[in-house]
Amino acid sequence: MISEIREYGAQLRLILLVGIVAYLIYGLTDIGWTSVVSALPTHPLFYVTSLLIFAVLPLVERLVFRRLLPNEQAVPIGVFIRKRVLNEGVLSYSGEAYLLERLRALSVARDPAIAAIRDNAIVSALISNTVTIGLVLLLLLAGRPDTIMELYRAAPGAAISFLVFAFIVYFIVIAMFRRITRLCRGDFQSLAGLHSLKILAVMSLQVTQWSVALPGEPMGTWLTFLTIYMLVRRLPFLPNVDLVFLGVGISLSGFSIHGAEALSGMLLASAVAMQLLHVVAFVLTRDNRPAMR
């Protein structure tokens, strides 16, 4: 039964991924491949920033799990790198299953391992959802309800799914926090601080990367795309969040003063760079290699 569910899940992921790629090809063809390719960023800092964005999550999560598992040996950084690749390049939350497997292989007892992964996921979801809602409110306060409507028209399923997911997370945290987590106030505040720092660092680096490619773009444009960036990453069970973000971003590329071609070229370059990082990281963190520390 379990093997059949996994097989159906794999087929569904493949169908979703094919659909995303088909949509991307259609969108880029509609804009014009020649124009998009000619608009690809050439500044080296743009691609260096991709590496920094990639590195933030594994580094922060290593700190998080050192606090959650204080009596255990340090988990190799390669485990968190591979977890990131699985979550964002393969399927959301598949990295948690991999992390549990690796913690067990490192002789971490099952219950503490599950509790640590659960507590990290709860705090991360709570902070990320709060930041995403805050970005939406900023758009409204900036007098851009039209942007909110464009976001909804571009990805209605994503918007509705996020609202449902956010409601579930808040309900769990408010109504059932003591039942589902072992965190004390100090640990919760520490984890919330680390995850807040992670999001702030990633968003700052992301705006820096975009600004390098398209200097002079109004901050309102980056606020719109940061909202999309965070929204996509809060949706559960997506096959590849970077490609989904690229698809939604292309549909809103008309917001840029630089034109749809320039913005699409920038988003395409960012997505390709991240996919290459995923491939390299996946190869370097194979389980049959020596652990990366």
Side-chain angles (χ1 to χ4, degrees):
M1 181 66 177
I2 295 177
S3 61
E4 291 178 356
I5 292 175
R6 287 179 177 173
E7 183 178 348
Y8 288 137
Q11 292 174 353
L12 180 59
R13 290 196 300 272
L14 180 60
I15 292 171
L16 287 172
L17 190 58
V18 170
I20 292 168
V21 172
Y23 175 79
L24 291 176
I25 292 173
Y26 169 79
L28 292 170
T29 301
D30 188 52
I31 294 171
W33 279 97
T34 302
S35 299
V36 170
V37 171
S38 64
L40 292 175
T42 57
H43 199 297
L45 181 59
F46 180 89
Y47 300 97
V48 171
T49 309
S50 290
L51 180 59
L52 297 177
I53 292 171
F54 180 91
V56 168
L57 179 58
L59 292 174
V60 169
E61 285 204 323
R62 196 180 196 206
L63 294 176
V64 167
F65 277 84
R66 277 188 171 178
R67 186 172 185 90
L68 289 172
L69 299 170
N71 298 322
E72 308 292 346
Q73 62 177 318
V75 182
I77 186 65
V79 171
F80 297 109
I81 292 174
R82 195 174 183 90
K83 175 179 177 289
R84 186 199 196 282
V85 173
L86 291 172
N87 276 341
E88 300 205 6
V90 180
L91 181 69
S92 301
Y93 296 106
S94 62
E96 274 65 27
Y98 165 76
L99 179 57
L100 176 60
E101 176 190 340
R102 299 313 303 154
L103 290 178
R104 297 293 289 121
L106 291 169
S107 301
V108 179
R110 182 176 180 275
D111 288 346
I114 292 176
I117 293 171
R118 178 198 62 212
D119 292 345
N120 176 62
I122 290 173
V123 177
S124 176
L126 177 64
I127 299 301
S128 298
N129 287 343
T130 302
V131 170
T132 304
I133 292 172
L135 289 171
V136 172
L137 292 177
L138 278 177
L139 282 176
L140 292 174
L141 291 174
R144 297 303 303 270
D146 57 321
T147 302
I148 300 297
M149 292 308 299
E150 285 294 331
L151 285 172
Y152 177 77
R153 282 193 285 267
I160 294 172
S161 297
F162 168 72
L163 290 175
V164 172
F165 184 66
F167 174 80
I168 292 172
V169 170
Y170 284 125
F171 174 79
I172 289 174
V173 171
I174 294 172
M176 305 174 63
F177 186 77
R178 289 299 176 191
R179 300 180 189 176
I180 62 172
T181 179
R182 63 177 186 174
L183 294 174
C184 63
R185 173 178 289 188
D187 286 338
F188 177 82
Q189 291 175 342
S190 177
L191 264 62
L194 285 170
H195 282 292
S196 298
L197 179 63
K198 171 197 71 180
I199 292 174
L200 178 62
V202 169
M203 290 197 304
S204 300
L205 287 168
Q206 192 64 79
V207 171
T208 299
Q209 183 186 54
W210 294 338
S211 299
V212 166
L214 301 177
E217 188 72 36
M219 190 60 200
T221 302
W222 300 147
L223 180 58
T224 298
F225 279 85
L226 275 179
T227 305
I228 301 170
Y229 183 86
M230 290 298 297
L231 176 63
V232 167
R233 277 160 175 74
R234 297 316 312 143
L235 299 178
F237 308 119
L238 289 180
N240 188 306
V241 292
D242 293 303
L243 294 184
V244 174
F245 171 66
L246 174 59
V248 178
I250 287 173
S251 68
L252 296 173
S253 57
F255 275 88
S256 173
I257 63 172
H258 290 81
E261 297 87 351
L263 186 58
S264 297
M266 178 198 72
L267 294 174
L268 178 62
S270 180
V272 170
M274 198 57 68
Q275 299 312 304
L276 291 175
L277 284 171
H278 285 165
V279 171
V280 172
F282 192 81
V283 171
L284 292 178
T285 57
R286 285 182 301 182
D287 294 337
N288 61 349
R289 286 174 172 261
M292 297 176 61
R293 293 189 177 275

